[in-house]
Amino acid sequence: MSPTRAPVDLPLRIVSHDSLGSGHFLLSLAIPGDYPAWEPGQFAMVTTGAPEGQADPLLRRPFSIYNTPGDPAGVVQIFYKVLGRGTRLMSGAGPGDMLRCLAPLGNGFAPARSPGTRLLLVAGGIGSASLHPLALRDRESGGRPLMLYGCRTSSEVPGITRTLEAGIEVRLATDDGSAGRRGFVTEMLDELLFQEGPQARDRWVICACGPTPMMRATAEVAARHGVRCHLSLESPMACGFGVCVGCVVGTRETPTAPLRYRRICVEGPVFDSGEVCW
């Protein structure tokens, strides 16, 4: 799916910047009334809040847009976890501060869900940021999305706090068993589809986002059960609009088609799992 309008590059004022615990933050930026609409899965390139005149870090950071347009009205939200220098600087910004934001970018989720099917969302860690608005949008259209959420330990559960509060059905797995069931989220996915047998391919459409090993495993599970699967790929990005060609992934439209490199920031970040060459 292509963006409904061209992206805009604007300085946006921080309305709120909430700490959700364990290094997780929800950032809300005020947007003008004529701001372009976006789709679940699209992203923004945001400055990190370095002091004026300071060019370190030089590059913006890519973040999935966490909310749907108009929910809440008048803001674009970024949900993130502090992982390095850029996000650590960003976490120190407060209400009234300005951050420059280029958005919306990329192609979002456009899963074809026929009557009787449900969205099965597979999220790993901060990958839930891309799937949260998709769950909200699907429910608004009459769907009953189910999210399988995997993380390393209970300290990362804030990754789904807002999704749970929104009333979305979530099943949790942690690597160490400190919350939910013990194991990988892809194991939980495999078990769910195995229990349903051949009916699974007509009941579910999978959308996933998370660390690359998790998404590769998700694609393999989906292929084994014959279930359609869409992946929102994660990658470091320098520009976010295809100029630097630093976030390419190999793809094949069919198993026998020639290998083609595509830019995650422009042709993605969402791809059909069967096209991605791991």
Side-chain angles (χ1 to χ4, degrees):
M1 179 184 299
S2 299
T4 53
R5 281 177 50 192
V8 295
D9 188 7
L10 296 172
L12 301 180
R13 178 178 54 84
I14 297 177
V15 175
S16 62
H17 200 177
D18 301 323
S19 173
L20 304 182
S22 300
H24 295 80
F25 290 84
L26 182 62
L27 173 68
S28 297
L29 300 167
I31 56 176
D34 60 348
Y35 200 78
W38 60 88
E39 295 294 333
Q42 289 191 276
F43 68 97
M45 296 293 293
V46 186
T47 57
T48 57
E52 187 174 354
Q54 179 175 312
D56 179 25
L58 176 63
L59 301 176
R60 305 187 195 199
R61 300 295 190 268
F63 299 97
S64 296
I65 300 177
Y66 189 65
N67 61 319
T68 56
D71 180 29
V75 300
V76 59
Q77 290 185 320
I78 303 296
F79 173 65
Y80 70 97
K81 182 180 180 181
V82 175
L83 295 173
R85 174 171 168 76
T87 47
R88 188 162 55 250
L89 276 170
M90 178 180 284
S91 69
D97 290 342
M98 305 293 289
L99 297 178
R100 198 157 190 98
C101 177
L102 173 63
L105 297 165
N107 292 309
F109 287 102
R113 184 175 60 79
S114 57
T117 62
R118 296 176 65 186
L119 286 189
L120 183 54
L121 312 179
V122 184
I126 203 66
S128 62
S130 179
L131 298 173
H132 175 81
L134 178 61
L136 298 182
R137 175 68 61 83
D138 184 62
R139 188 179 60 182
E140 290 172 359
S141 65
R144 294 183 300 118
L146 168 62
M147 179 180 288
L148 308 183
Y149 179 72
C151 54
R152 291 176 297 178
T153 185
S154 59
S155 65
E156 298 184 359
V157 172
I160 53 164
T161 299
R162 294 300 174 95
T163 305
L164 287 166
E165 292 174 350
I168 302 299
E169 182 182 356
V170 178
R171 300 181 188 178
L172 173 64
T174 52
D175 295 355
D176 62 4
S178 57
R181 58 166 285 173
R182 179 188 294 271
F184 295 148
V185 68
T186 48
E187 295 171 344
M188 185 162 52
L189 172 66
D190 195 24
E191 290 177 12
L192 185 154
L193 298 179
F194 178 79
Q195 290 170 2
E196 297 194 354
Q199 296 175 333
R201 69 187 61 189
D202 298 319
R203 182 171 297 174
W204 299 104
V205 177
I206 297 172
C207 295
C209 185
T212 297
M214 185 217 83
M215 287 197 285
R216 179 173 183 174
T218 297
E220 292 170 351
V221 170
R224 187 159 60 247
H225 293 277
V227 178
R228 287 173 293 162
C229 180
H230 308 272
L231 306 175
S232 179
L233 302 185
E234 295 185 337
S235 174
M237 295 179 185
C239 70
F241 47 87
V243 175
C244 70
V245 198
C247 62
V248 297
V249 61
T251 64
R252 283 191 173 93
E253 295 183 2
T254 66
T256 58
L259 182 67
R260 176 188 176 195
Y261 286 98
R262 301 165 76 186
R263 297 162 297 178
I264 292 175
C265 65
V266 175
E267 284 82 29
V270 178
F271 294 91
D272 185 286
S273 64
E275 296 181 356
V276 179
C277 299
W278 304 100

